[in-house]
């Protein structure tokens, strides 16, 4: 058992290092959280495809507000809106029929931004190693480091207790029942996060559940050559259906992840979804969230007539998208009884060097813990 555990840790550290090196080698871009390529000289703007931590000027803010005002000045009549909610599953299923697995890219930033996806021992060792590599360039202040260590100890102590509690109290048999660490990805699509995770958790005792309400997306996940039923269980599930049950008991998950998923859901349903999902987290378990932020380029380029309600739009294919603020994200998770670990706006400047145009991108990245 001990030997197996050390092997797993070694393998995870190796995977983490490999990922971290791969990120570092993409254009020499250092692997710091939310990126670290800072535009200091405006003349350099077309030298890279993306600049990180971009500050908006007052003019940028005013222009963005104006564009959003304009494109939401005509809203789709209420009586025509219902289908975008009731038929959301069909719209997404058709999306996957059209695009198969060719639309979204693998989420390469996954372990760098969300090291919580790795089981605790491997996570702390691999993260330490990664931080050691970067410390020279991005030193943490003493208080940041202490806070991080305290958070890490607190989380792991809770999780261990709950894992034992769950195994003792759960009489029912379920996939991943004997796992020491359980992750759920909701709205997993065709598996752009699933397969990097599966690759990393083999031989660690961890188990990944992944669901989507599109049967086609789930079939594509299951048909993938890297799908491995011994560490992963993919299933069709609509997270808006309150009565739909999950194939694991409440309080059995260490991590829940929603990446560009909650934005697809009607804003009035979001709180119910987060409340419901949170009941499946263990105490100390973490909800990881990444999604579109308010005034992202993709919001501002909507034409008039696609708006459903404030900051909520439908695309030409019938799928919907909401654009969050930091405060809304905070309310969503804290109203569900979770505590903030991180709630950030990831503001970048994307550059099309061929066309010499720039786009302001805004994404939200948040982590909330169940106390
Ligand atoms: C923008 S895609 C993101 C896919 C994936 N998370 C990724 O990062 O590549 C949104 C996904 O959420 C799924 N989705 C939307 N509403 C859902 C719901 N109510 N229940 C389950 N999945 C849903 C869609 O089918 C789609 O696969």
């Amino acid at each position: 058992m001990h030997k197996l555990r050390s092997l797993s840790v070694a393998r995870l550290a190796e995977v983490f290092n490999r990922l971290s090196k791969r990120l570092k080698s993409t254009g020499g871009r250092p692997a710091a959280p939310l990126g670290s390529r800072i535009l200091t000289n405006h003349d350099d703007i077309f030298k890279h495809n993306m600049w990180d931590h971009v500050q908006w000027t007052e003019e940028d803010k005013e222009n963005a507000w104006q564009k959003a005002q304009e494109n939401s000045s005509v809203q789709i009549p209420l009586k025509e809106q219902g289908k975008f909610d009731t038929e959301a599953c069909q719209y997404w299923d058709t999306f996957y029929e059209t695009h198969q697995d060719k639309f979204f890219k693998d989420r390469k930033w996954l372990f760098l931004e969300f090291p919580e996806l790795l089981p605790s021992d491997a996570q702390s060792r691999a993260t330490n190693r990664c931080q050691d590599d970067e410390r020279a360039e991005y030193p943490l202040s003493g208080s940041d480091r202490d806070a991080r260590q305290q958070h890490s100890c607190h989380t792991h102590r809770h999780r261990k207790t709950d894992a034992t509690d769950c195994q003792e109290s759960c009489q029912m048999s379920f996939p991943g029942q004997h796992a020491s660490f359980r992750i759920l990805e909701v709205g997993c699509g065709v598996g752009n996060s699933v397969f990097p995770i599966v690759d990393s958790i083999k031989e660690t005792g961890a188990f990944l559940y992944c669901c989507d309400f599109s049967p086609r997306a789930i079939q594509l996940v299951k048909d993938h050559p890297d799908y491995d039923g011994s560490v992963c269980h993919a299933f069709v599930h609509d997270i808006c259906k309150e009565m739909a049950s999950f194939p694991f008991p409440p309080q059995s998950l260490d991590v829940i992840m929603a990446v560009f998923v909650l934005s697809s859901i009607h804003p009035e349903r979001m709180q119910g979804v987060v409340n419901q999902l949170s009941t499946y987290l263990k105490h100390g378990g973490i909800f990881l969230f990444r999604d579109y932020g308010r005034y992202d380029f993709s919001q501002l380029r909507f034409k008039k007539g696609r708006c459903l309600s404030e900051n909520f739009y439908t695309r030409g294919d019938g799928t919907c998208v909401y654009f969050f603020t930091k405060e809304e994200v905070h309310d969503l998770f804290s109203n569900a009884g979770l505590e903030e670990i991180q709630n950030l706006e990831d503001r970048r400047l994307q550059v099309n060097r061929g066309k010499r145009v720039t786009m302001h991108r805004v994404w939200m990245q948040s982590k909330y813990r169940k106390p």
Side-chain angles (χ1 to χ4, degrees), residues 88 92-93 96 104-105 107 185-193 211-214 217 237-240 258-261 263-265 292 315:
W92 275 107
D93 210 47
Y96 288 115
F104 300 114
K105 293 183 184 141
R107 307 299 185 187
E185 189 194 2
V186 291
C188 64
V190 296
N192 295 91
S193 300
C211 68
D212 199 288
F213 66 177
S214 156
H237 184 99
D238 184 343
I239 51 174
C240 290
V259 175
F260 297 102
V261 177
S263 54
S264 326
I265 290 171
Y292 292 104
R315 305 180 180 99

